[in-house]
């Protein structure tokens, strides 16, 4: 009798939950608003992702002014007026009207700290719960994800929404699986797992299952916009919707950097590295390559200088920066290396068009440093795009970047038959690239930096608007919307 009663209670509870679930979906489908809902839980991150958000909102407003633009955000201090002001003051993007705001209170379910283990699965399913909150509060005709939460797409489809997304990088890729299978220790593959055959095999199975789930949910998008050829290749392979996948480069507003003179001081050739002090940025490789290059340099040649410009998010980053300083001493190049801590990195293209009115002193100093550098170095493996590399090129600093992903496939390509920079994979190759650049005549370097600057103009904000509007118009200009 007791078991039957418990079974009955369980069936009743499940039935009740399902009825509430179906009731919420039916209510949402019936009461869909004539709007576009942007799922962007963090509207104050200040990076390239937020810039894409505001440029996308503006594009939607220009293509179909009959649709209201709604922002789903977990930032409780956000309001239509504050977001409108932020889009203008922080990014120089003038919206046609303030966006509506739907506040989310379950954002902790997508935070990395909530899931010490099985992080990507936890965050992915957590995003579904957060999306449920969003769609129950406001169901739009068009749902667009601008933060990479693909697991929300089936739910948005169930609510009757057209689903669009702008994907900066895949949550998982075949490269990640390959590194685990080959037991390569990296920032996203713990050395403890890499050393163990059995743990590595278990992680491969875990990643393989997650890849299948990721492919299924991603295929629910009516339109998938990606930011680079590398991301496009992975998304097409995983999601299997090549005809619904469009590559549109992120908006890089580098007009201010384009005005910097190409001529640079030759007494002390300067190489600049602009990036947060995060593990994947591989600053140690840059330092070691610089040391090797100095060791091979002719004693009569001007001694170069390396400038590390970046910010620290937390104590781990602070320790990483300290280790880098100690490494410079160990390599005996401490007098040739400068560190600029807590500069605003990754948002130069956001602000340069606002000179001189809104430009902070920190950003002015950063532009000054870029204007004095003959080269910009970047060493992240599989950087999906690389806005900082475009900024180097726009500023006239010849880029030296990792021979993979965005830099290799989209950015550092020939411009009208002229070389625009260098690609490298290890310490020796980076050192050789530095030496080649240092041994160039002024005329040769100016020719390459001019070609690099011309190449950078392919990624201007105007091109983003043009391509993005063309991609979304067939969907949001439909009579039913």
């Amino acid at each position: 009798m007791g078991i039957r009663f418990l079974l009955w209670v369980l069936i009743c509870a499940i039935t009740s939950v399902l009825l509430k679930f179906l009731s919420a979906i039916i209510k949402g489908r019936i009461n869909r608003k004539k709007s576009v809902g942007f799922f962007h839980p963090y509207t104050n991150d200040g990076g390239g992702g937020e810039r894409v958000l505001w440029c996308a909102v503006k594009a939607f407003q220009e293509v179909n002014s009959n649709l209201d633009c709604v922002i789903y955000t977990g930032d409780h201090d956000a309001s239509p007026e504050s977001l409108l002001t932020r889009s203008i003051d922080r990014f120089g993007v003038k919206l046609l009207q303030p966006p509506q705001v739907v506040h989310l209170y379950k954002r902790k379910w997508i935070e990395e700290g909530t899931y010490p283990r099985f992080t990507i699965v936890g965050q992915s399913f957590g995003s579904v719960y957060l999306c449920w909150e969003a769609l129950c509060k406001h169901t739009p005709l068009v749902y667009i994800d601008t933060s990479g939460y693909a697991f929300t797409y089936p739910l948005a489809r169930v609510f009757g929404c057209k689903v669009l997304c702008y994907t900066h990088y895949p949550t998982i890729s075949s490269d990640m699986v390959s590194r685990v299978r080959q037991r390569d220790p990296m920032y996203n593959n713990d050395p403890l797992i890499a050393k163990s055959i059995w743990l590595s095999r278990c992680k491969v199975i875990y990643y393989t299952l997650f890849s299948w789930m990721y492919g299924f949910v991603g295929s629910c998008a009516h339109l998938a916009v990606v930011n680079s050829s590398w991301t496009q290749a992975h998304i097409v392979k995983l999601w299997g919707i090549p005809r619904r996948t469009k590559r549109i480069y992120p908006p890089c507003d580098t007009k201010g950097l384009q005005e910097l003179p190409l001529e640079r001081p030759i007494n002390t050739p300067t190489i600049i590295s602009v990036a947060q002090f995060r593990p994947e940025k591989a600053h140690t490789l840059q330092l070691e390559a610089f040391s090797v290059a100095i060791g091979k340099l002719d004693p009569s040649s001007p001694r170069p200088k390396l400038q590390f410009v970046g910010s620290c998010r937390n104590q781990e980053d602070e320790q990483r920066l300290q280790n880098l300083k100690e490494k410079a001493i160990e390599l005996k190049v401490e007098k040739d290396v400068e560190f600029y801590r807590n500069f605003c990195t990754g948002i130069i293209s956001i602000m340069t068009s606002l000179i001189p009115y809104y430009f902070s002193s920190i950003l002015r100093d950063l532009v000054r440093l870029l204007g004095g550098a003959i080269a910009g170095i970047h060493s992240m493996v599989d950087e999906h795009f690389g806005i900082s590399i475009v900024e180097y090129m726009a500023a006239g600093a010849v880029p030296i970047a990792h021979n993979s992903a965005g830099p290799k496939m989209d950015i550092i390509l020939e411009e009208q038959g002229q070389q625009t920079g260098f690609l490298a994979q290890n310490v020796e190759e980076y050192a050789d690239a530095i030496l080649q650049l240092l041994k160039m005549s002024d005329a040769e370097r100016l020719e390459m930096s001019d070609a690099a600057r011309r190449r950078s103009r392919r990624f201007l904000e105007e091109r983003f608007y043009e391509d993005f509007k063309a991609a979304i118009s067939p969907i949001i200009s439909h009579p039913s919307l």
Side-chain angles (χ1 to χ4, degrees):
M1 186 69 177
I3 295 176
R4 289 182 179 180
F5 177 75
L6 290 175
L7 186 60
W8 173 251
V9 170
L10 181 62
I11 292 172
C12 289
I14 293 174
T15 303
S16 175
V17 170
L18 288 175
L19 287 174
K20 288 182 180 179
F21 179 77
L22 291 173
S23 175
I25 291 174
I26 294 171
K27 181 180 178 181
R29 291 179 71 100
I30 293 174
N31 298 319
R32 280 184 300 165
K33 304 296 191 297
K34 204 168 185 180
S35 63
V36 181
F38 291 82
F39 192 71
H40 200 101
Y42 298 90
T43 51
N44 62 354
D45 59 10
E50 188 183 347
R51 180 175 183 78
V52 167
L53 167 66
W54 299 125
C55 288
V57 170
K58 182 179 179 181
F60 270 94
Q61 290 179 340
E62 291 177 348
V63 171
N64 192 335
S65 59
N66 294 322
L67 292 174
D68 294 326
C69 288
V70 178
I71 310 296
Y72 299 112
T73 176
D75 299 316
H76 300 154
D77 58 345
S79 67
E81 295 73 23
S82 68
L83 292 182
L84 178 67
T85 301
R86 181 179 177 83
S87 69
I88 297 174
D89 292 352
R90 192 74 183 270
F91 300 91
V93 179
K94 297 180 181 179
L95 304 180
L96 302 188
Q97 58 188 15
Q100 297 179 24
V101 176
V102 173
H103 290 108
L104 305 177
Y105 295 91
K106 298 178 174 62
R107 194 172 68 179
K108 69 175 183 178
W109 296 107
I110 63 168
E111 292 174 0
E112 185 176 345
T114 306
Y115 311 97
R117 295 289 182 270
F118 302 101
T119 307
I120 58 173
V121 167
Q123 288 180 300
S124 296
F125 283 105
S127 70
V128 178
Y129 187 44
L130 188 64
C131 181
W132 173 264
E133 179 191 4
L135 294 176
C136 285
K137 288 182 175 179
H138 180 103
T139 308
L141 293 179
V142 180
Y143 170 91
I144 177 167
D145 162 46
T146 49
S147 296
Y149 295 106
F151 276 68
T152 64
Y153 305 168
L155 182 63
R157 288 285 292 260
V158 169
F159 269 84
C161 306
K162 289 285 186 180
V163 178
L164 285 67
C165 65
Y166 189 94
T167 303
H168 299 271
Y169 53 89
T171 303
I172 194 166
S173 68
S174 57
D175 296 332
M176 293 170 62
V177 179
S178 177
R179 289 193 191 103
V180 175
R181 185 176 283 113
Q182 294 170 9
R183 299 169 60 195
D184 292 334
M186 209 174 177
Y187 61 88
N188 58 356
N189 190 31
D190 192 285
L192 179 64
I193 294 176
K195 291 177 181 178
S196 170
I197 295 176
W198 290 107
L199 288 178
S200 294
R201 287 177 179 174
C202 289
K203 190 168 183 178
V204 167
I205 294 171
Y206 164 52
Y207 272 5
T208 301
L209 290 173
F210 183 82
S211 295
W212 181 85
M213 291 188 291
Y214 184 63
F216 170 75
V217 298
S219 69
C220 293
H222 291 94
L223 173 65
V225 179
V226 297
N227 71 337
S228 68
S229 298
W230 180 83
T231 302
Q232 182 178 25
H234 284 287
I235 290 300
V236 167
K237 182 178 180 180
L238 289 163
W239 293 4
I241 51 172
R243 293 184 179 180
R244 287 181 272 148
T245 304
K246 307 291 183 183
R247 183 196 65 198
I248 299 176
Y249 296 125
C252 302
D253 188 1
T254 56
K255 292 178 182 177
L257 295 176
Q258 301 271 352
E259 301 300 320
L260 293 171
L262 292 177
E263 293 79 10
R264 302 291 152 94
I266 58 174
N267 294 333
T268 306
T270 302
I271 301 168
I272 193 170
S273 172
V274 182
Q276 285 183 327
F277 293 104
R278 289 154 44 188
E280 63 268 29
K281 297 302 181 180
H283 288 93
T284 303
L285 183 150
Q286 299 174 15
L287 190 59
E288 291 174 346
F290 180 72
S291 174
V292 171
I294 286 182
K296 294 181 178 180
L297 198 62
D298 192 307
S300 61
S301 300
R303 196 170 177 91
K305 178 169 56 178
L306 176 60
Q307 295 174 330
F308 285 110
V309 182
S311 58
C312 296
R313 304 162 300 171
N314 48 41
Q315 187 57 44
E316 287 78 10
D317 286 357
E318 295 280 2
Q319 185 58 52
R320 203 167 285 114
L321 173 58
Q322 182 59 37
N323 293 342
L324 204 60
K325 292 178 180 179
E326 293 173 1
K327 186 68 175 180
I329 296 173
E330 178 188 328
L331 296 172
K332 297 181 172 58
V333 293
E334 70 275 12
K335 294 181 180 179
D336 306 301
V337 180
E338 296 176 353
F339 295 91
Y340 295 85
R341 175 183 168 277
N342 280 348
F343 268 54
C344 297
T345 62
I347 57 171
I348 300 303
S349 65
I350 294 168
M351 297 297 293
T352 50
S353 62
L354 306 180
I355 295 174
Y357 304 106
Y358 305 109
F359 222 47
S360 71
S361 60
I362 290 179
L363 288 170
R364 280 199 301 269
D365 288 342
L366 186 45
V367 171
R368 175 181 56 79
L369 293 175
L370 282 167
I374 67 166
I377 191 167
H378 186 282
S379 52
M380 179 176 171
V381 178
D382 289 340
E383 173 70 270
H384 48 285
F385 181 68
I387 289 179
S388 62
I389 300 168
V390 175
E391 292 169 347
Y392 291 157
M393 298 166 81
V398 175
I400 304 172
H402 197 274
N403 191 20
S404 64
K408 175 184 180 181
M409 301 173 72
D410 295 307
I411 301 177
I412 307 181
L413 303 178
E414 287 190 353
E415 181 67 21
Q416 298 177 342
Q418 292 181 304
Q419 186 178 350
T420 59
F422 298 91
L423 294 169
Q425 284 187 294
N426 51 46
V427 170
E428 288 297 329
E429 290 184 7
Y430 272 93
D432 288 343
I434 293 171
L435 284 171
Q436 287 184 59
L437 189 60
L438 293 175
K439 292 177 180 179
M440 280 184 179
S441 65
D442 288 346
E444 290 173 327
R445 186 193 61 77
L446 285 172
E447 184 179 11
M448 186 178 291
S449 61
D450 179 61
R453 174 170 285 177
R454 284 186 278 114
R455 177 74 191 168
S456 72
R457 295 187 182 119
R458 294 175 178 267
F459 310 106
L460 289 176
E461 184 176 306
E462 291 79 6
R463 181 66 179 271
F464 172 85
Y465 283 120
E466 178 183 331
D467 294 344
F468 193 74
K469 288 178 184 178
I472 65 175
S473 289
I475 294 178
I476 70 169
S477 296
H478 194 275
S480 63
L481 297 179

